[in-house]
Amino acid sequence: MACYALVDCNNFYASCERAFRPELNGRPVVVLSNNDGCIIARSGEAKALGIDMGTPYFKCRALLERHGVAVFSSNYALYGDMSARVMRILTRFCPAVEVYSIDEAFCDLSGVPGGAEAYGRRLRATVLAWTGIPVSVGIARTKTLAKLANRFAKKQDRSRGVFDLTTSPDPDRVLRWTDIGDVWGIGPRHAKRLRAMGVTNALQFRELDRDWVKKKMTVSGLHTLLELRGLPCHDFASGPADKKTIVSSRSFGHPVTRLDHMLEATAQYTTRAAEKLRKQQSVASAILVYLQTNSFRLGQPQYANTLSVPLAVATNHTPTLIRAAQTAMERIFKPGYQYKKCGVMLSGLEPEHGRWLNLLALPPDHRPGDAPLMRAVDRVNHRWGRDTVAFAASGITRDWRMKRDMRSPRYTTVWEEILQVRAK
DNA sequence: TCTGGGGTCCTAGGACCC
DNA sequence: TCTGGGGTCCTAGGACCC
């Protein structure tokens, strides 16, 4: 019988910041989204102050200052590297690991020696000792139940970070304790509707009629129901699946009004998206661009538009993609507006090798030298850091760039920012 | 002044074909 | 003038996830 452990890092981004600043232990810490927009991670102390996830920074700034909260801009170079370290440890000690997100992984603990719970405790202690990141471990027969067990492990002090639902004397009590809105797969819309019917916890949901659930919540809802009953519906995936779409978009540091700035940003985001595309060895057959004004500014004139253009031949050649994206952007850009954000999306992704070729158009990356050039650019940027080699179309000063006024050093990925230790 | 970014899956409905 | 059923493909929108 399958036995899954969900290993989830506690307050991951806040914990990453703390791992290098031990003086912050016991102090409230929050991390902001891109552009220092809203709160996306909180230490336990920050949660206790009543700071909600997703709160705009400017709305809670005074409260944060009053309580001496340490505030950080997000530092994805640091979080990505810390995540890789955690995942390497899990991979080393577990027979099979599915990395589910930057801070979570499902581990197959079927048949581990000494029992799953003891194994989970050793995993937890090892990750903490080797990375400084505290994790919680929830163990169960299905992924949905493992999620639920993990939450219980996090919230109930007496489980000390690990909870095994498969050996629990009263698993139904844990389901009754779990609010309907905290069940994996049940979002705010369905939760509201279920509550209105008197279904307020996971146990009550589990007892609902399956046909009713399928009709009202599609097969996704049915899978959630069956998983709560112990029937696995979500398979264990060992490798990451290839993406079907790739998006790159950002809000600007301040409003953009000029077409040339918009075209620079378009080129920059296209460059990012193309890098991701080549990393999974795919080519894109269409590119979509969009732009929008700030919809929170009700008094200002609003405009948003998108344009999707098919590519004659699927490609991952950055200059070709930039040309297509900029041409599309020129067509939807209208002067006289204060733009807040733009983005590009690559779709119709296919494997790079063994794809169909259009008989009427020469594949752009079949020009001799194009593919090797892209490979060389990727290698240089991987070795020496992002944008060591960049495309001129992305601009030099990049006035539109996002704000990150409080970013911590990239301790683990940039030599100049490495942690310094001084002897007294 | 200041409100994130990147994804997946499912379903309904329209266009089009035989 | 009216009448049919079955199928595919694509898109938009909704809901969810981290």
Side-chain angles (χ1 to χ4, degrees):
Chain A
M1 216 176 188
C3 182
Y4 296 123
L6 175 64
V7 179
D8 188 321
C9 300
N10 300 350
N11 317 325
F12 182 54
Y13 299 165
S15 298
C16 287
E17 298 294 348
R18 244 181 200 168
F20 293 88
R21 297 273 303 272
E23 77 275 16
L24 294 177
N25 283 329
R27 265 189 64 191
V29 174
V30 300
V31 178
L32 305 178
S33 65
N34 278 332
N35 243 338
D36 296 340
C38 34
I39 308 275
I40 54 166
R42 308 154 294 158
S43 71
E45 299 80 7
K47 288 177 188 172
L49 290 174
I51 299 161
D52 286 332
M53 191 78 165
T55 309
Y57 176 48
F58 74 92
K59 282 191 182 169
C60 59
R61 195 167 180 167
L63 176 80
L64 299 178
E65 279 169 10
R66 202 157 59 239
H67 289 93
V69 178
V71 179
F72 293 92
S73 301
S74 42
N75 182 347
Y76 286 101
L78 177 66
Y79 311 149
D81 185 63
M82 292 300 282
S83 170
R85 291 170 190 228
V86 171
M87 300 308 171
R88 266 201 299 277
I89 295 169
L90 299 181
T91 306
R92 175 163 163 184
F93 291 101
C94 299
V97 175
E98 176 189 347
V99 177
Y100 178 69
S101 74
I102 194 167
D103 68 339
E104 283 171 83
F106 290 102
C107 301
D108 188 348
L109 295 191
S110 314
V112 293
E117 186 183 335
Y119 206 85
R121 292 205 181 277
R122 285 210 298 281
L123 272 181
R124 180 175 192 276
T126 306
V127 172
L128 183 63
W130 294 7
T131 66
I133 303 292
V135 302
S136 301
V137 182
I139 299 161
R141 302 272 177 225
T142 68
K143 287 182 168 181
T144 304
L145 287 171
K147 275 271 191 185
L148 201 139
N150 185 288
R151 197 166 164 282
F152 193 77
K154 267 202 179 70
K155 305 273 176 182
Q156 299 281 321
D157 289 341
R158 86 194 116 85
S159 61
R160 291 172 295 123
V162 180
F163 184 75
D164 185 350
L165 198 64
T166 67
T167 57
S168 164
D170 190 1
D172 282 5
R173 193 174 60 86
V174 182
L175 268 75
R176 197 178 303 114
W177 170 88
T178 302
D179 184 84
I180 188 66
D182 292 326
V183 175
W184 192 43
I186 298 184
R189 294 300 266 260
H190 287 316
K192 188 177 172 198
R193 171 177 205 172
L194 290 163
R195 272 195 208 99
M197 301 167 39
V199 176
T200 61
N201 63 47
L203 187 66
Q204 290 172 312
F205 180 73
R206 191 189 71 183
E207 305 307 324
L208 289 178
D209 175 65
R210 53 179 287 172
D211 292 333
W212 185 89
V213 169
K214 185 177 178 192
K215 192 162 157 230
K216 300 292 182 186
M217 300 172 66
T218 78
V219 294
S220 315
L222 178 61
H223 287 162
T224 301
L225 179 86
L226 296 177
E227 286 234 327
L228 286 177
R229 293 181 182 176
L231 273 66
C233 298
H234 298 300
D235 287 340
F236 193 84
S238 36
D242 278 352
K243 307 264 181 268
K244 295 172 180 175
T245 57
I246 290 173
V247 175
S248 178
S249 68
R250 289 283 182 284
S251 297
F252 304 123
H254 50 78
V256 164
T257 54
R258 287 167 46 172
L259 176 61
D260 58 337
H261 288 165
M262 192 67 84
L263 292 177
E264 284 181 12
T266 303
Q268 176 68 9
Y269 303 159
T270 305
T271 303
R272 276 296 91 79
E275 285 167 3
K276 297 183 204 169
L277 187 64
R278 292 193 292 272
K279 198 167 175 194
Q280 71 166 35
Q281 299 187 61
S282 296
V283 290
S285 49
I287 185 165
L288 173 146
V289 301
Y290 71 91
L291 81 183
Q292 56 187 240
T293 51
N294 188 344
S295 56
F296 290 103
R297 302 266 77 87
L298 293 173
Q300 285 178 3
Q302 300 288 323
Y303 172 60
N305 206 346
T306 73
L307 182 60
S308 177
V309 291
L311 298 159
V313 174
T315 184
N316 60 21
H317 182 240
T318 299
T320 303
L321 292 167
I322 289 179
R323 268 192 298 276
Q326 289 191 326
T327 304
M329 183 55 83
E330 282 175 348
R331 285 177 56 191
I332 57 174
F333 180 90
K334 287 205 289 192
Y337 290 95
Q338 306 237 318
Y339 293 101
K340 178 197 164 208
K341 182 178 181 180
C342 77
V344 310
M345 181 169 98
L346 301 173
S347 62
L349 307 193
E350 307 161 14
E352 180 173 16
H353 303 291
R355 75 190 117 120
W356 291 96
L357 299 181
N358 187 325
L359 292 174
L360 300 177
L362 191 68
D365 57 358
H366 271 215
R367 282 190 303 248
D370 280 354
L373 175 65
M374 286 298 101
R375 276 199 295 278
V377 167
D378 288 339
R379 268 206 307 276
V380 168
N381 285 336
H382 182 256
R383 176 71 183 79
W384 300 101
R386 176 173 283 181
D387 285 339
T388 301
V389 180
F391 290 86
S394 298
I396 305 298
T397 58
R398 300 186 187 171
D399 294 334
W400 38 269
R401 260 187 317 199
M402 66 181 179
K403 273 192 300 197
R404 282 166 149 184
D405 294 339
M406 296 155 287
R407 201 196 66 207
S408 54
R410 292 164 288 188
Y411 297 107
T412 63
T413 56
V414 177
W415 282 113
E416 290 73 25
E417 301 180 14
I418 199 165
L419 189 67
Q420 297 186 13
V421 181
R422 294 192 199 87
K424 282 209 174 178

